[in-house]
């Protein structure tokens, strides 16, 4: 039976030490990071690594991200890379994962047989404490069953994985709420494999400032190309993600008026008795309210793109009830966190169609 360690308790070193001891003994531990919760196993124990795949129901060709405490530990698992060093010095610890050539000693269970490894240095203090307490990297994909929205609260991870973990450390809601940006440094030009908090533009600014650009250059992989991508570089990209059971539709439109009409169009085929849930900006909500379009709608409003990203996964989980007929979520325009938000939202919304294919 898993033990839940709450945020205040977890602040004490004994709880972290207990969880670290369980990890070192080959057990799985859920822990908070600034992006989403992670399902952790120690990298040196292949049985524990295989247990991650089993617990999540994750295909074995979908590689894991490993979490390290600092640059020195990063290069214990990665071969030397100047570009990686530069990005680590500017953005880490933080929500950025680097794909780099792996050292030969690293287990290929982590990399799904690839010779590259994805590594991140989380900045959450409890994640840092846990890694330092084990003295080794911790492999940790998002702490959810495969295909479900990622866990951004300890209770979500506990619900999905209770029977497979020794401890679940509760550090409160994840700050960012979307998974890290993944940038592949093993190809030229470097490629964003998964959009996140940091965009290609932000990463390139650093290379430009250091006079390394365009030798070092990050390009944004188009979403369509990413969905199709099934080559050996990123096998994980072919699996669907983030999907609730309930149908999710996106409210789109270049003006508030167009969004209002898109909203009513996307409710038009439903019976008055059908229950609808909506996650929209407070701006759109007040307009819908004024037109009487929210009378039987379970509503959650967001105040900004950062707030929407922070809460998206939790809202999708909370809305995903058996009697809910449809979930409507407002799209976001913009070229920073909005890119990552729309990437996750489109996956959640396309899952029904995908499942039918
Ligand atoms: P998550 O399932 O949320 O932990 O995200 C892990 C994702 O990182 C995987 O689905 C892959 O897409 C990506 N990834 C991990 N390792 C590699 C690698 N060596 N090369 C490319 N992508 C990777
Ligand atoms: Mg995941």
């Amino acid at each position: 039976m898993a033990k839940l360690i709450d945020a205040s308790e977890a602040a004490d070193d004994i709880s972290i030490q207990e969880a670290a001891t369980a990890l070192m003994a080959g057990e799985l531990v859920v822990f908070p990071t600034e992006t989403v919760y992670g399902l952790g196993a120690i990298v040196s124990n292949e049985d524990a690594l295989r247990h991650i795949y089993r617990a999540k129901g994750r295909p074995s060709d979908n590689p894991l991200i490993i979490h390290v405490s600092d640059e020195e530990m990063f290069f214990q698992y990665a071969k030397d890379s100047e570009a990686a060093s530069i990005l680590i010095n500017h953005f880490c610890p933080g929500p950025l994962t680097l794909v780099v050539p792996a050292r030969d000693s690293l287990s290929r269970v982590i990399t799904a047989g690839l010779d590259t490894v994805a590594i991140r240095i989380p900045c959450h203090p409890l994640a840092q404490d846990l890694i330092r307490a084990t003295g080794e990297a911790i492999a940790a994909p998002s702490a959810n069953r495969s295909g479900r929205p990622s866990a951004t609260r300890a209770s979500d991870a506990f619900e999905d994985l209770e029977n497979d973990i020794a401890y679940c450390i509760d550090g409160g809601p994840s700050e960012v709420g979307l998974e890290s940006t993944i940038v592949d440094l093993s190809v030229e030009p470097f490629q964003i494999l998964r959009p996140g908090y940091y965009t290609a533009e932000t990463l390139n600014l650093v290379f430009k400032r250091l006079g390394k650009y365009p030798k070092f250059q990050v390009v944004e992989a188009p979403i369509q190309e990413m969905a199709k991508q099934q080559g050996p570089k990123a096998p994980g990209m072919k699996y669907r993600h983030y999907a609730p059971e309930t149908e999710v539709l996106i409210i789109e439109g270049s003006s508030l008026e167009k969004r209002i009409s898109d909203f009513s169009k996307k409710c038009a085929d439903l019976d008055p008795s059908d229950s609808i849930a909506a996650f929209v900006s407070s701006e759109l909500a007040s307009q819908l309210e004024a037109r009487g379009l929210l009378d039987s709608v379970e509503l959650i409003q967001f105040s900004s793109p950062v707030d929407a990203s922070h809460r998206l996964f939790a809202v999708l989980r909370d809305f995903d009830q058996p009697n809910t007929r449809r979930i409507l979520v407002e799209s976001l325009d913009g070229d920073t966190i909005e890119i990552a938000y729309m990437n996750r939202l489109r996956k959640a919304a396309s899952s029904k169609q995908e499942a039918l294919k």
Side-chain angles (χ1 to χ4, degrees), residues 35-37 142-144 147-153 156 159 174 176-180 194-195 241-244 279 300 306-320 327 329 340-349:
T35 57
V36 300
Y37 275 75
S142 53
N144 53 278
R148 295 207 69 201
S150 298
T152 54
R153 299 170 296 200
D156 299 333
E159 181 185 298
S174 309
V176 177
L178 300 179
E179 303 85 346
S180 57
R194 178 172 74 187
H241 255 98
Y242 322 114
F279 184 49
I300 298 184
V306 169
D307 183 41
S309 305
H310 167 68
R311 287 157 67 198
L312 177 68
F313 286 139
V315 166
L316 289 177
R317 278 180 178 258
D318 290 346
F319 279 168
D320 196 16
I327 300 172
V329 183
Y341 171 89
M342 289 308 296
N343 168 265
R344 308 311 191 275
L345 178 55
R346 288 198 196 291
K347 289 185 185 197

Side-chain angles (χ1 to χ4, degrees), residues 46-97:
E46 290 201 334
D47 287 339
L49 296 171
R50 288 198 189 91
H51 190 183
I52 286 187
Y53 287 92
R54 261 197 332 275
K56 283 189 58 117
R58 183 184 180 100
S60 59
D61 65 347
N62 190 359
L64 306 176
I65 294 175
I66 67 169
H67 293 65
V68 299
S69 56
D70 52 26
E71 182 175 6
E72 191 189 333
M73 201 177 195
F74 186 99
F75 288 109
Q76 285 171 22
Y77 302 97
K79 291 187 178 160
D80 289 344
S81 155
E82 188 191 353
S85 267
I86 291 172
L87 294 180
I88 290 169
N89 282 312
H90 283 83
F91 300 104
C92 300
L96 179 67
T97 297

Side-chain angles (χ1 to χ4, degrees), residues 291-357:
R291 288 166 168 79
L293 289 166
L294 291 180
D295 292 349
S296 56
V297 174
E298 187 187 349
L299 175 74
I300 298 184
Q301 307 179 39
F302 55 80
S303 58
S304 66
V306 169
D307 183 41
S309 305
H310 167 68
R311 287 157 67 198
L312 177 68
F313 286 139
V315 166
L316 289 177
R317 278 180 178 258
D318 290 346
F319 279 168
D320 196 16
Q321 302 299 328
N323 61 343
T324 303
R325 179 68 208 288
R326 183 168 294 165
I327 300 172
L328 300 172
V329 183
E330 189 176 354
S331 62
L332 291 177
D333 290 328
D335 52 14
T336 55
I337 193 74
E338 297 88 350
I339 299 173
Y341 171 89
M342 289 308 296
N343 168 265
R344 308 311 191 275
L345 178 55
R346 288 198 196 291
K347 289 185 185 197
S350 69
S351 66
K352 288 281 147 189
Q353 277 162 279
E354 289 290 315
L356 294 174
K357 276 184 196 162

